Amino acid sequence: MKRLNIKLIITLLVSTGAFAVGVYFLHDFQSRRRADGLLLLADQMREEQDYLQEANLRRRYISRRPEDTEQYGNVASAYAKLIEQSLAEGKFDPKIFQNAFRFYEQGIRNAPDNIELRKGAIEFFLDMRRYKDAISHLEHLRNQQGTLEPEMQVKLALCYLRGGEEDRSREMLSKMVGFDPASYKFDREAATAPESLEAHQLLAVIYTSVG
């Protein structure tokens, strides 16, 4: 009866295991190279202002690298640019809007602390006149940071105004510029953002429309 060659079996097992590991890492390396190639092509499409192709390429990239949360915002941004192009031509495709909305929301769900991504969504919702959606993200950003920079405060006040909450908008802007509605006087020391020209202008628009 033949004896098993234990050393030979171990050598074969080790070699087979090493080969399998090597194949896995080679496949992973090639997959990542292909994914990176998709990003390069997407960047080229953005330069050529072919935003539909850019969005498609980035979506293919995400299917390979779903952990790259930054690209969700880039896909949404590409769709937003495509909407701008379409509107300039007098066209509007609801499906493109839905895609932009979906990728912004999905990206934010995946990376809720990504401030730049949330700001991109806010700009998109403002452009689309989706003021309630913009308010939701602006208020979340305020809670997240503890405050909003003056530019974003004005955007929030504008959303309140456009959303039918004029009193809330007026109150917010008055605090920013230090305006006392009772005396019609400004107190610079009480102002939270006295240098904000946009806040002054929007508050003036409110009082002009009322008067």
Side-chain angles (χ1 to χ4, degrees), residues 64-152:
R64 298 170 185 266
R65 303 279 293 277
E67 73 280 1
D68 190 347
T69 55
E70 180 182 353
Q71 293 306 318
Y72 288 88
N74 289 339
V75 172
S77 175
Y79 281 127
K81 289 286 187 183
L82 186 58
I83 290 172
E84 287 182 19
Q85 283 184 338
S86 299
L87 290 176
E89 299 171 358
K91 304 174 184 177
F92 180 74
D93 186 344
K95 290 184 179 179
I96 299 299
F97 168 80
Q98 291 167 5
N99 283 333
F101 181 92
R102 179 164 61 88
F103 274 91
Y104 269 128
E105 292 295 315
Q106 188 173 352
I108 289 170
R109 280 197 301 271
N110 292 344
D113 295 330
N114 189 326
I115 292 175
E116 293 307 314
L117 177 58
R118 195 176 293 277
K119 285 183 176 180
I122 289 167
E123 292 297 332
F124 172 72
F125 291 131
L126 277 169
D127 289 341
M128 294 294 101
R129 301 182 181 181
R130 301 269 301 198
Y131 300 117
K132 288 185 178 180
D133 290 315
I135 287 171
S136 174
H137 286 291
L138 282 161
E139 290 180 342
H140 182 97
L141 194 61
R142 182 178 59 189
N143 295 336
Q144 184 179 17
Q145 298 181 140
T147 186
L148 289 173
E149 55 265 39
E151 178 186 358
M152 302 307 286

Coordinates of all heavy atoms in Angstrom, one line a residue, residues 64-152:
R64 N -19.2 49.9 -9.3 CA -18.0 49.1 -9.0 C -17.4 49.5 -7.6 O -16.8 48.7 -6.9 CB -16.9 49.3 -10.1 CG -17.3 48.8 -11.4 CD -16.3 49.3 -12.5 NE -16.7 48.9 -13.8 CZ -16.3 47.8 -14.5 NH1 -15.5 46.9 -13.9 NH2 -16.7 47.6 -15.7
R65 N -17.6 50.8 -7.3 CA -17.0 51.4 -6.1 C -18.1 52.1 -5.3 O -18.0 53.4 -5.1 CB -15.8 52.3 -6.4 CG -14.7 51.7 -7.3 CD -13.8 51.0 -6.5 NE -13.0 51.8 -5.6 CZ -11.9 52.5 -6.0 NH1 -11.5 52.5 -7.2 NH2 -11.3 53.3 -5.1
P66 N -19.1 51.5 -4.8 CA -20.2 52.1 -4.1 C -19.7 52.9 -2.8 O -20.5 53.7 -2.3 CB -21.1 51.0 -3.7 CG -20.3 49.8 -3.8 CD -19.2 50.0 -4.8
E67 N -18.5 52.5 -2.3 CA -18.1 53.2 -1.1 C -17.6 54.6 -1.3 O -17.4 55.4 -0.3 CB -17.0 52.3 -0.4 CG -15.6 52.4 -1.1 CD -15.5 51.5 -2.3 OE1 -16.5 50.8 -2.6 OE2 -14.4 51.4 -2.9
D68 N -17.4 55.0 -2.6 CA -16.9 56.3 -2.9 C -18.1 57.3 -2.9 O -18.6 57.6 -3.9 CB -16.2 56.3 -4.2 CG -15.4 57.6 -4.5 OD1 -15.7 58.6 -3.8 OD2 -14.6 57.6 -5.5
T69 N -18.4 57.8 -1.7 CA -19.7 58.6 -1.5 C -19.6 59.9 -2.3 O -20.6 60.5 -2.6 CB -19.9 58.8 -0.1 OG1 -18.8 59.4 0.6 CG2 -20.3 57.5 0.7
E70 N -18.4 60.4 -2.5 CA -18.2 61.7 -3.2 C -18.8 61.7 -4.6 O -19.4 62.7 -5.1 CB -16.7 62.0 -3.3 CG -16.5 63.4 -4.0 CD -15.0 63.7 -4.1 OE1 -14.2 62.9 -3.6 OE2 -14.6 64.6 -4.8
Q71 N -18.8 60.5 -5.2 CA -19.3 60.4 -6.6 C -20.8 60.5 -6.7 O -21.3 60.9 -7.8 CB -18.8 59.1 -7.3 CG -17.3 59.1 -7.5 CD -16.8 60.3 -8.2 OE1 -17.4 60.7 -9.2 NE2 -15.6 60.9 -7.8
Y72 N -21.5 60.3 -5.7 CA -23.0 60.4 -5.7 C -23.3 61.9 -6.0 O -24.2 62.2 -6.8 CB -23.6 60.0 -4.4 CG -23.6 58.5 -4.2 CD1 -22.5 57.8 -3.6 CD2 -24.7 57.7 -4.7 CE1 -22.5 56.4 -3.5 CE2 -24.7 56.3 -4.5 CZ -23.6 55.7 -3.9 OH -23.6 54.3 -3.8
G73 N -22.6 62.8 -5.3 CA -22.8 64.2 -5.5 C -22.4 64.6 -6.9 O -23.0 65.5 -7.5
N74 N -21.3 64.0 -7.4 CA -20.8 64.4 -8.8 C -21.8 63.9 -9.8 O -22.0 64.6 -10.8 CB -19.5 63.7 -9.0 CG -18.4 64.4 -8.2 OD1 -18.5 65.5 -7.8 ND2 -17.3 63.7 -8.0
V75 N -22.5 62.8 -9.6 CA -23.5 62.3 -10.5 C -24.7 63.3 -10.5 O -25.2 63.7 -11.6 CB -24.0 60.9 -10.2 CG1 -25.2 60.5 -11.0 CG2 -22.9 59.9 -10.4
A76 N -25.1 63.6 -9.3 CA -26.2 64.6 -9.2 C -25.9 65.9 -9.8 O -26.7 66.5 -10.5 CB -26.5 64.8 -7.7
S77 N -24.6 66.4 -9.6 CA -24.2 67.6 -10.2 C -24.2 67.6 -11.7 O -24.6 68.6 -12.4 CB -22.8 68.0 -9.7 OG -22.3 69.1 -10.3
A78 N -23.8 66.4 -12.3 CA -23.9 66.3 -13.7 C -25.3 66.4 -14.2 O -25.6 67.0 -15.2 CB -23.3 64.9 -14.1
Y79 N -26.2 65.7 -13.5 CA -27.6 65.8 -13.9 C -28.2 67.3 -13.8 O -29.0 67.7 -14.6 CB -28.5 64.9 -13.1 CG -28.4 63.4 -13.5 CD1 -28.1 62.4 -12.6 CD2 -28.7 63.1 -14.8 CE1 -28.0 61.1 -13.0 CE2 -28.6 61.8 -15.2 CZ -28.3 60.8 -14.3 OH -28.3 59.5 -14.7
A80 N -27.7 68.0 -12.7 CA -28.1 69.4 -12.5 C -27.6 70.2 -13.7 O -28.4 71.1 -14.2 CB -27.6 69.9 -11.2
K81 N -26.4 70.0 -14.1 CA -25.9 70.7 -15.3 C -26.7 70.4 -16.6 O -26.9 71.3 -17.4 CB -24.4 70.4 -15.5 CG -23.5 70.9 -14.5 CD -23.2 72.4 -14.6 CE -22.2 72.9 -13.7 NZ -22.0 74.4 -13.8
L82 N -27.1 69.1 -16.7 CA -27.9 68.7 -17.8 C -29.2 69.4 -17.8 O -29.7 69.8 -18.9 CB -28.1 67.2 -17.8 CG -28.7 66.6 -19.0 CD1 -28.0 66.9 -20.3 CD2 -28.8 65.0 -18.8
I83 N -29.8 69.6 -16.6 CA -31.1 70.3 -16.5 C -30.9 71.8 -17.0 O -31.8 72.3 -17.7 CB -31.6 70.3 -15.0 CG1 -32.0 68.8 -14.7 CG2 -32.7 71.2 -14.8 CD1 -32.4 68.6 -13.3
E84 N -29.8 72.4 -16.5 CA -29.5 73.8 -17.0 C -29.5 73.9 -18.5 O -30.0 74.8 -19.1 CB -28.2 74.3 -16.4 CG -28.2 74.5 -14.9 CD -26.9 75.0 -14.4 OE1 -26.1 75.5 -15.2 OE2 -26.6 75.0 -13.2
Q85 N -28.8 72.9 -19.1 CA -28.7 72.9 -20.6 C -30.1 72.8 -21.2 O -30.4 73.5 -22.1 CB -27.8 71.8 -21.0 CG -26.3 72.0 -20.9 CD -25.5 70.9 -21.5 OE1 -26.0 69.8 -21.7 NE2 -24.3 71.1 -21.8
S86 N -30.9 71.9 -20.6 CA -32.2 71.6 -21.2 C -33.1 72.8 -21.0 O -33.8 73.2 -22.0 CB -32.8 70.4 -20.5 OG -32.0 69.2 -20.7
L87 N -33.1 73.5 -19.9 CA -33.9 74.6 -19.6 C -33.5 75.8 -20.6 O -34.4 76.5 -21.0 CB -33.8 75.1 -18.2 CG -34.4 74.1 -17.1 CD1 -34.2 74.6 -15.7 CD2 -35.9 74.0 -17.4
A88 N -32.2 75.9 -20.9 CA -31.8 76.9 -21.8 C -32.3 76.7 -23.2 O -32.5 77.7 -24.0 CB -30.2 77.0 -21.8
E89 N -32.6 75.5 -23.5 CA -33.2 75.1 -24.8 C -34.7 75.0 -24.7 O -35.4 74.6 -25.7 CB -32.6 73.8 -25.3 CG -31.1 73.8 -25.5 CD -30.6 72.4 -25.7 OE1 -31.4 71.4 -25.7 OE2 -29.3 72.3 -25.9
G90 N -35.3 75.4 -23.6 CA -36.8 75.4 -23.4 C -37.3 74.0 -23.2 O -38.5 73.7 -23.5
K91 N -36.5 73.1 -22.7 CA -36.9 71.7 -22.4 C -36.7 71.4 -21.0 O -36.0 72.0 -20.2 CB -36.0 70.7 -23.3 CG -36.1 71.0 -24.8 CD -35.1 70.1 -25.5 CE -35.0 70.4 -26.9 NZ -34.0 69.5 -27.6
F92 N -37.5 70.4 -20.5 CA -37.3 69.9 -19.2 C -37.7 68.4 -19.1 O -38.8 68.0 -19.6 CB -38.2 70.7 -18.2 CG -38.1 70.2 -16.7 CD1 -37.0 70.4 -16.0 CD2 -39.1 69.4 -16.2 CE1 -36.8 70.0 -14.7 CE2 -39.0 68.9 -14.9 CZ -37.9 69.2 -14.1
D93 N -36.8 67.6 -18.6 CA -37.1 66.1 -18.6 C -37.2 65.7 -17.1 O -36.2 65.8 -16.3 CB -35.9 65.4 -19.2 CG -36.2 63.9 -19.3 OD1 -37.1 63.4 -18.6 OD2 -35.5 63.2 -20.0
P94 N -38.4 65.4 -16.7 CA -38.6 65.0 -15.3 C -37.7 63.9 -14.8 O -37.4 63.8 -13.6 CB -40.1 64.6 -15.2 CG -40.7 65.3 -16.4 CD -39.7 65.3 -17.4
K95 N -37.4 63.0 -15.7 CA -36.5 61.8 -15.3 C -35.2 62.3 -14.9 O -34.6 61.8 -13.9 CB -36.4 60.8 -16.5 CG -37.7 60.1 -16.7 CD -37.5 59.1 -17.8 CE -38.8 58.3 -18.1 NZ -38.6 57.3 -19.2
I96 N -34.6 63.3 -15.6 CA -33.3 63.9 -15.2 C -33.4 64.5 -13.8 O -32.5 64.3 -13.0 CB -32.9 64.9 -16.3 CG1 -32.7 64.2 -17.6 CG2 -31.5 65.5 -15.9 CD1 -31.7 63.1 -17.7
F97 N -34.5 65.3 -13.6 CA -34.7 65.9 -12.2 C -34.7 64.8 -11.2 O -34.1 64.9 -10.1 CB -35.9 66.7 -12.2 CG -36.3 67.1 -10.8 CD1 -35.7 68.2 -10.2 CD2 -37.3 66.4 -10.1 CE1 -36.0 68.5 -8.9 CE2 -37.6 66.8 -8.8 CZ -37.0 67.8 -8.2
Q98 N -35.5 63.7 -11.4 CA -35.6 62.6 -10.5 C -34.3 62.0 -10.2 O -34.0 61.6 -9.0 CB -36.6 61.6 -11.0 CG -38.1 62.1 -11.0 CD -39.0 61.2 -11.8 OE1 -38.6 60.1 -12.2 NE2 -40.2 61.6 -11.9
N99 N -33.5 61.8 -11.2 CA -32.1 61.2 -11.0 C -31.2 62.1 -10.2 O -30.5 61.6 -9.3 CB -31.5 61.0 -12.4 CG -32.0 59.8 -13.1 OD1 -32.5 58.8 -12.5 ND2 -31.9 59.8 -14.4
A100 N -31.3 63.4 -10.5 CA -30.5 64.4 -9.7 C -30.9 64.3 -8.2 O -30.1 64.3 -7.3 CB -30.6 65.8 -10.2
F101 N -32.2 64.4 -8.0 CA -32.8 64.4 -6.6 C -32.4 63.1 -5.9 O -31.9 63.1 -4.8 CB -34.3 64.4 -6.7 CG -35.0 64.4 -5.4 CD1 -35.3 65.6 -4.8 CD2 -35.4 63.2 -4.8 CE1 -35.9 65.6 -3.5 CE2 -36.0 63.2 -3.6 CZ -36.3 64.4 -2.9
R102 N -32.5 61.9 -6.6 CA -32.2 60.6 -6.0 C -30.7 60.5 -5.6 O -30.4 60.0 -4.5 CB -32.6 59.5 -7.0 CG -32.3 58.1 -6.5 CD -33.1 57.1 -7.3 NE -32.7 57.1 -8.7 CZ -31.7 56.4 -9.2 NH1 -31.0 55.6 -8.4 NH2 -31.4 56.4 -10.4
F103 N -29.8 61.0 -6.5 CA -28.4 60.8 -6.2 C -28.0 61.8 -5.1 O -27.1 61.4 -4.3 CB -27.6 61.0 -7.5 CG -27.4 59.7 -8.2 CD1 -28.3 59.3 -9.2 CD2 -26.4 58.8 -7.9 CE1 -28.2 58.1 -9.9 CE2 -26.3 57.6 -8.5 CZ -27.2 57.2 -9.5
Y104 N -28.5 63.0 -5.0 CA -28.2 63.9 -3.9 C -28.7 63.3 -2.6 O -27.9 63.2 -1.6 CB -28.9 65.2 -4.1 CG -28.0 66.2 -4.8 CD1 -28.5 66.9 -6.0 CD2 -26.7 66.5 -4.4 CE1 -27.7 67.9 -6.6 CE2 -25.9 67.4 -5.1 CZ -26.4 68.1 -6.2 OH -25.6 69.0 -6.9
E105 N -29.9 62.8 -2.6 CA -30.5 62.2 -1.4 C -29.7 61.0 -0.9 O -29.4 60.8 0.2 CB -31.9 61.9 -1.5 CG -32.8 63.2 -1.7 CD -32.8 64.0 -0.4 OE1 -32.9 63.4 0.7 OE2 -32.7 65.2 -0.5
Q106 N -29.4 60.1 -1.9 CA -28.7 58.9 -1.6 C -27.3 59.2 -1.1 O -26.8 58.6 -0.2 CB -28.6 58.0 -2.8 CG -28.1 56.6 -2.6 CD -28.2 55.7 -3.8 OE1 -28.8 56.0 -4.8 NE2 -27.5 54.5 -3.7
G107 N -26.6 60.2 -1.8 CA -25.3 60.5 -1.3 C -25.3 61.1 0.1 O -24.4 60.8 0.9
I108 N -26.3 61.9 0.4 CA -26.3 62.5 1.8 C -26.7 61.4 2.8 O -26.1 61.4 3.9 CB -27.4 63.6 1.8 CG1 -26.8 64.8 1.0 CG2 -27.7 64.0 3.2 CD1 -27.9 65.9 0.8
R109 N -27.5 60.4 2.4 CA -27.8 59.3 3.4 C -26.5 58.5 3.6 O -26.3 58.1 4.8 CB -28.9 58.4 2.8 CG -30.3 58.9 2.9 CD -31.3 57.8 2.7 NE -31.2 57.2 1.4 CZ -31.8 57.6 0.3 NH1 -32.6 58.7 0.4 NH2 -31.6 57.0 -0.8
N110 N -25.7 58.3 2.6 CA -24.5 57.6 2.8 C -23.4 58.3 3.5 O -22.5 57.7 4.2 CB -23.9 57.1 1.4 CG -24.8 56.1 0.7 OD1 -25.6 55.5 1.3 ND2 -24.6 56.0 -0.6
A111 N -23.4 59.7 3.4 CA -22.4 60.5 4.0 C -23.1 61.8 4.6 O -22.9 62.9 4.1 CB -21.3 60.9 3.0
P112 N -23.8 61.6 5.7 CA -24.6 62.7 6.3 C -23.7 63.9 6.8 O -24.2 65.0 6.9 CB -25.4 62.1 7.4 CG -24.6 60.9 7.8 CD -24.0 60.4 6.5
D113 N -22.5 63.6 7.0 CA -21.6 64.7 7.5 C -20.8 65.4 6.4 O -20.0 66.3 6.7 CB -20.5 64.1 8.5 CG -21.2 63.6 9.8 OD1 -22.3 64.1 10.2 OD2 -20.7 62.6 10.4
N114 N -21.1 65.0 5.2 CA -20.4 65.7 4.0 C -21.1 67.0 3.7 O -22.2 67.1 3.1 CB -20.5 64.8 2.8 CG -19.7 65.3 1.6 OD1 -19.5 66.5 1.4 ND2 -19.1 64.4 0.9
I115 N -20.5 68.1 4.3 CA -21.1 69.4 4.2 C -21.2 69.9 2.8 O -22.2 70.5 2.3 CB -20.3 70.4 5.1 CG1 -20.5 70.0 6.6 CG2 -20.8 71.8 4.9 CD1 -19.7 70.8 7.5
E116 N -20.1 69.7 2.0 CA -20.1 70.2 0.6 C -21.2 69.5 -0.2 O -21.8 70.2 -1.1 CB -18.7 70.0 0.0 CG -17.7 70.9 0.6 CD -18.0 72.3 0.6 OE1 -18.5 72.8 -0.4 OE2 -17.9 73.0 1.7
L117 N -21.4 68.2 0.0 CA -22.4 67.5 -0.7 C -23.8 68.1 -0.4 O -24.7 68.3 -1.3 CB -22.4 66.0 -0.4 CG -23.4 65.1 -1.0 CD1 -23.4 65.2 -2.5 CD2 -23.3 63.7 -0.5
R118 N -24.0 68.4 0.9 CA -25.3 68.9 1.3 C -25.5 70.3 0.7 O -26.6 70.7 0.3 CB -25.4 68.9 2.8 CG -26.8 69.2 3.3 CD -26.9 69.1 4.9 NE -26.6 67.8 5.4 CZ -27.5 66.8 5.5 NH1 -28.8 67.0 5.1 NH2 -27.2 65.6 6.0
K119 N -24.5 71.1 0.7 CA -24.6 72.4 0.1 C -24.9 72.4 -1.4 O -25.6 73.2 -1.9 CB -23.3 73.2 0.3 CG -23.1 73.7 1.7 CD -21.8 74.5 1.8 CE -21.6 75.1 3.2 NZ -20.4 75.9 3.4
G120 N -24.3 71.4 -2.1 CA -24.6 71.2 -3.5 C -26.1 70.9 -3.7 O -26.8 71.4 -4.6
A121 N -26.7 70.0 -2.8 CA -28.1 69.7 -2.8 C -28.9 70.9 -2.6 O -30.0 71.1 -3.2 CB -28.4 68.6 -1.8
I122 N -28.5 71.8 -1.6 CA -29.2 73.0 -1.3 C -29.3 73.9 -2.6 O -30.4 74.4 -2.9 CB -28.6 73.7 -0.1 CG1 -28.8 72.9 1.2 CG2 -29.1 75.2 0.0 CD1 -27.9 73.4 2.3
E123 N -28.2 74.1 -3.2 CA -28.2 74.9 -4.4 C -29.1 74.3 -5.5 O -29.8 75.1 -6.2 CB -26.8 75.0 -5.0 CG -25.8 75.8 -4.1 CD -26.2 77.3 -4.0 OE1 -26.9 77.8 -4.9 OE2 -25.9 77.9 -2.9
F124 N -29.1 73.0 -5.6 CA -29.9 72.4 -6.6 C -31.4 72.6 -6.3 O -32.2 73.0 -7.2 CB -29.6 70.9 -6.7 CG -30.6 70.1 -7.5 CD1 -30.6 70.2 -8.9 CD2 -31.5 69.2 -6.9 CE1 -31.5 69.4 -9.7 CE2 -32.4 68.5 -7.7 CZ -32.4 68.6 -9.0
F125 N -31.8 72.4 -5.1 CA -33.2 72.6 -4.7 C -33.6 74.1 -4.8 O -34.8 74.4 -5.2 CB -33.4 72.1 -3.2 CG -33.3 70.6 -3.1 CD1 -32.5 70.1 -2.1 CD2 -34.0 69.8 -4.0 CE1 -32.4 68.7 -2.0 CE2 -33.9 68.4 -3.9 CZ -33.1 67.9 -2.9
L126 N -32.7 75.0 -4.5 CA -33.0 76.4 -4.7 C -33.3 76.7 -6.2 O -34.2 77.4 -6.6 CB -31.9 77.3 -4.2 CG -31.9 77.6 -2.7 CD1 -30.6 78.2 -2.3 CD2 -33.1 78.5 -2.4
D127 N -32.4 76.2 -7.1 CA -32.6 76.4 -8.5 C -33.9 75.8 -9.0 O -34.5 76.3 -9.9 CB -31.4 75.8 -9.3 CG -30.1 76.5 -9.1 OD1 -30.2 77.7 -8.7 OD2 -29.0 75.9 -9.3
M128 N -34.3 74.7 -8.4 CA -35.5 74.0 -8.9 C -36.7 74.5 -8.1 O -37.8 74.0 -8.3 CB -35.4 72.5 -8.6 CG -34.3 71.8 -9.5 SD -34.7 71.8 -11.3 CE -33.7 73.1 -11.8
R129 N -36.5 75.5 -7.3 CA -37.6 76.1 -6.5 C -38.3 75.1 -5.5 O -39.5 75.2 -5.2 CB -38.6 76.8 -7.4 CG -38.0 77.9 -8.2 CD -39.1 78.5 -9.1 NE -38.5 79.6 -9.9 CZ -39.1 80.3 -10.8 NH1 -40.5 80.2 -10.9 NH2 -38.5 81.2 -11.5
R130 N -37.5 74.2 -5.1 CA -38.0 73.2 -4.1 C -37.6 73.7 -2.7 O -36.7 73.2 -2.0 CB -37.3 71.8 -4.4 CG -37.6 71.2 -5.7 CD -38.8 70.4 -5.8 NE -38.7 69.2 -4.9 CZ -39.5 68.2 -5.0 NH1 -40.4 68.1 -5.9 NH2 -39.3 67.2 -4.1
Y131 N -38.3 74.7 -2.3 CA -37.9 75.5 -1.1 C -38.0 74.6 0.2 O -37.2 74.8 1.1 CB -38.7 76.7 -1.0 CG -38.5 77.7 -2.2 CD1 -39.6 78.0 -3.0 CD2 -37.2 78.1 -2.5 CE1 -39.4 78.8 -4.1 CE2 -37.0 79.0 -3.6 CZ -38.1 79.3 -4.4 OH -37.9 80.1 -5.5
K132 N -39.0 73.8 0.3 CA -39.1 72.9 1.5 C -38.0 72.0 1.6 O -37.5 71.7 2.7 CB -40.5 72.2 1.5 CG -41.7 73.1 1.7 CD -43.0 72.2 1.8 CE -44.2 73.1 2.0 NZ -45.4 72.3 2.1
D133 N -37.5 71.4 0.5 CA -36.4 70.5 0.5 C -35.1 71.3 0.9 O -34.3 70.8 1.7 CB -36.2 69.8 -0.8 CG -37.3 68.8 -1.1 OD1 -37.6 68.0 -0.3 OD2 -37.8 68.9 -2.3
A134 N -35.0 72.5 0.4 CA -33.8 73.3 0.7 C -33.8 73.7 2.2 O -32.8 73.6 2.8 CB -33.8 74.6 -0.2
I135 N -35.0 74.1 2.7 CA -35.1 74.4 4.1 C -34.7 73.2 5.0 O -34.0 73.4 6.0 CB -36.5 74.8 4.5 CG1 -36.8 76.2 3.9 CG2 -36.8 74.9 6.0 CD1 -38.3 76.6 4.0
S136 N -35.1 72.0 4.6 CA -34.8 70.8 5.4 C -33.3 70.7 5.5 O -32.8 70.4 6.6 CB -35.5 69.6 4.8 OG -35.1 68.4 5.4
H137 N -32.6 70.8 4.4 CA -31.1 70.6 4.4 C -30.4 71.8 5.1 O -29.4 71.6 5.7 CB -30.6 70.4 3.0 CG -31.0 69.1 2.4 ND1 -30.4 67.9 2.9 CD2 -31.9 68.7 1.5 CE1 -30.9 66.9 2.2 NE2 -31.8 67.3 1.4
L138 N -30.9 73.0 4.9 CA -30.3 74.2 5.5 C -30.4 74.1 7.1 O -29.5 74.4 7.8 CB -30.9 75.5 5.0 CG -30.5 75.9 3.6 CD1 -31.4 76.9 3.0 CD2 -29.1 76.6 3.8
E139 N -31.6 73.7 7.5 CA -31.8 73.6 9.0 C -31.0 72.4 9.5 O -30.5 72.5 10.7 CB -33.3 73.4 9.3 CG -34.1 74.6 9.0 CD -35.6 74.5 9.3 OE1 -36.1 73.3 9.4 OE2 -36.3 75.5 9.5
H140 N -30.9 71.3 8.8 CA -30.0 70.2 9.2 C -28.5 70.7 9.3 O -27.8 70.4 10.3 CB -30.1 69.1 8.3 CG -29.3 67.9 8.7 ND1 -29.8 66.8 9.3 CD2 -27.9 67.6 8.5 CE1 -28.8 65.9 9.6 NE2 -27.7 66.4 9.1
L141 N -28.1 71.5 8.3 CA -26.8 72.0 8.3 C -26.5 72.9 9.5 O -25.5 72.9 10.1 CB -26.5 72.8 7.0 CG -25.1 73.1 6.6 CD1 -24.2 71.9 6.5 CD2 -25.0 73.9 5.3
R142 N -27.5 73.8 9.8 CA -27.4 74.7 11.0 C -27.3 73.9 12.3 O -26.5 74.2 13.1 CB -28.6 75.6 11.0 CG -28.6 76.6 12.2 CD -29.8 77.5 12.1 NE -31.1 76.8 12.2 CZ -32.3 77.3 12.0 NH1 -32.4 78.6 11.7 NH2 -33.4 76.5 12.1
N143 N -28.1 72.8 12.4 CA -28.0 72.0 13.6 C -26.7 71.3 13.7 O -26.2 71.1 14.8 CB -29.2 71.0 13.6 CG -30.6 71.7 13.7 OD1 -30.6 72.8 14.2 ND2 -31.6 71.0 13.3
Q144 N -26.2 70.9 12.5 CA -25.0 70.1 12.5 C -23.8 71.0 12.9 O -22.9 70.5 13.6 CB -24.8 69.6 11.1 CG -23.6 68.7 10.9 CD -23.5 68.1 9.4 OE1 -24.1 68.7 8.5 NE2 -22.7 67.1 9.2
Q145 N -23.8 72.2 12.4 CA -22.6 73.1 12.6 C -22.8 74.0 13.8 O -21.8 74.7 14.3 CB -22.4 74.0 11.4 CG -22.1 73.2 10.1 CD -21.8 74.1 8.9 OE1 -20.9 73.9 8.1 NE2 -22.6 75.2 8.8
G146 N -24.0 74.1 14.3 CA -24.3 75.0 15.4 C -24.7 76.4 14.9 O -25.4 77.2 15.6
T147 N -24.4 76.7 13.7 CA -24.8 78.0 13.1 C -24.6 77.9 11.6 O -24.1 76.9 11.1 CB -23.9 79.2 13.6 OG1 -24.4 80.4 13.1 CG2 -22.4 79.0 13.2
L148 N -25.0 78.9 10.9 CA -24.8 79.0 9.4 C -24.0 80.3 9.1 O -24.2 81.3 9.7 CB -26.1 79.1 8.7 CG -27.0 77.8 8.6 CD1 -28.3 78.1 8.0 CD2 -26.3 76.7 7.8
E149 N -23.1 80.2 8.1 CA -22.4 81.4 7.6 C -23.5 82.3 7.0 O -24.5 81.9 6.6 CB -21.3 81.0 6.7 CG -21.7 80.2 5.5 CD -21.5 78.7 5.7 OE1 -21.8 78.2 6.8 OE2 -21.1 78.1 4.7
P150 N -23.2 83.6 7.0 CA -24.2 84.6 6.5 C -24.8 84.3 5.2 O -26.0 84.4 5.0 CB -23.4 85.9 6.5 CG -22.4 85.7 7.6 CD -22.0 84.3 7.5
E151 N -24.0 83.8 4.2 CA -24.5 83.5 2.9 C -25.6 82.4 3.0 O -26.6 82.5 2.3 CB -23.3 83.0 2.0 CG -23.8 82.6 0.6 CD -22.7 82.0 -0.2 OE1 -21.5 81.9 0.3 OE2 -23.0 81.5 -1.3
M152 N -25.4 81.4 3.8 CA -26.4 80.3 3.9 C -27.6 80.8 4.8 O -28.7 80.3 4.5 CB -25.7 79.1 4.6 CG -24.5 78.5 3.8 SD -24.9 78.2 2.1 CE -25.8 76.7 2.2

